[in-house]
Amino acid sequence: LHKRNVILELEKRGMVNELTSHDIKNHVKKQTTIYCGIDPTAPSLHLGNLLTLMGLLHFNILGHRTIALIGGATGLIGDPSGRNTERQPMSVTMIEHHVTALNQQLHRIFNNGLMYASRRGFILDNEVDNFLVMNNLEWFDKMLALEMLNDIGRYFRVGTMLMKESVKLRMENEGGISFTEFSYQLLQAYDFWYLYNHHQCRIQLGGSDQWGNITAGIDLIKKKAHDVINVKNIQDKLDNAFGITIPLLLTSTGEKFGKSTGNAIWLNEDMTSVYEFYQYFMKVTDVDIEKYLRMFTLLNIEEIAHIVKTHMESPEKHYAQERLASEITELVHGSQGLRRAQFATSVLFDTPIKNMSSRDIIDAFANDSRCLTTVKRNDVLNCSIDRVAVVTGACKSRSEANKLIKSGGLYLNSKRISDPQYQLQKNDLIDGIICIFRIGRSNYRLAQIVD
């Protein structure tokens, strides 16, 4: 096992909100198993999930076994934590689709994360597969209602359940809380017991809103383990169970991390392109930059301090943002994803048109419908530029396009358009198939011309 104590490492990085017991710092000196639960509420994880995944990754690369548990069963119930209203129920078919997608995504992100770690100097044990993705439907699917009440329910006290923060907040609302969501903590607690009993899992990791669910699991483990000892007449004390919560991450403006103009930043590039993902971190404020470098990269603390110091000498160059965006994009999307994000950025901000290849441009923006659109050649070639701007989606109307042209705010392939009657010609297209509109300083629209 690596000499570093993973809990101390997480604390240095500001990734520990609460520990159920400080004894965990001694516990992790030997190899242990940790899990984190993820309910399949969408077909992709988002940036809000990434911090807990980073916690798992730290355990993994320091030699501990890690389990990502997808809630195929609990996803049908809905976690009331952090919510003022009840979730809309999803169909079994949709849950199954989300479970399959998350399973593939988790393996991909962890594979990218391990390759990223090895490139940052971590020595990994490639002979041991110590990362596992599981689905809690595996043990809940065949459990009868009577079995649940007898095997789980009898260990819980309603008074204690009512005191959980997630329940109290909902009880104060007019809508209250349904028995279905009220019972959620029983199911998550049983997850911890099941993994404790069958996979020697001793630690649960979660966001700060999961404290009540985590402690409910530890209580259940203590009570059930006590019964097991009594039934089997075992005198040896079973290992303790522990919980770690990671702080809720807000930006310096108080916004929930990972939200951009009301939209989540997804870890699936079909839902958030690698360019958009990269650009999210390029726009991080100087106030947040050191915190994010500590939490979302594997760079050591000394190197992060040097990056921040260098950045503050010339903050207008955005050196720290570029390092953060590069590190986290490589970690999530791999080195190829990072290259595509950097190329897409250079297309829009740096590289002269004559040095661009249409194929590279199309590949870089293939999953970004916000930037890249496809239009028919007959609809744009030899047409006035204000009409082309509307057809490609660069402008909402021809009048808007004309206003931009008059004010000097419309560019075609980096050249300012001054004549509203200018007609798009074949030699305006990169390799005869791509043109790039820029509106103002930083809004872009790329059009692929097809026959």
Side-chain angles (χ1 to χ4, degrees), residues 38 40 42-45 53 68-70 95-113 131-135 267-270 331-333:
I38 302 159
S44 171
L45 302 169
L53 291 186
L69 180 65
I70 302 175
I95 291 285
E96 289 174 347
H97 170 70
H98 290 176
V99 167
T100 300
L102 293 183
N103 191 319
Q104 295 171 349
Q105 186 178 52
L106 284 163
H107 279 106
R108 184 169 61 253
I109 289 174
F110 258 80
N111 285 337
N112 288 338
F131 174 67
L132 187 64
V133 179
M134 301 184 70
N135 180 354
L267 306 188
N268 181 337
E269 66 172 288
D270 292 332
L331 188 150
V332 173
H333 293 292

Side-chain angles (χ1 to χ4, degrees), residues 13 26 83 93 140 157 164 214 220 224 364 370:
R13 292 177 177 272
N26 288 322
R83 292 185 60 88
T93 302
F140 282 121
R157 292 296 173 264
K164 300 295 182 185
I214 292 172
L220 179 63
K224 286 185 71 68
R370 298 184 189 185

Side-chain angles (χ1 to χ4, degrees), residues 327-342:
E327 294 288 324
I328 196 168
T329 303
E330 181 183 346
L331 188 150
V332 173
H333 293 292
S335 54
Q336 288 187 346
L338 172 59
R339 281 194 291 272
R340 284 190 285 117
Q342 290 174 329

Side-chain angles (χ1 to χ4, degrees), residues 341-355:
Q342 290 174 329
F343 178 79
T345 299
S346 69
V347 165
L348 300 183
F349 296 103
D350 301 318
T351 306
I353 297 295
K354 58 182 172 53
N355 296 335

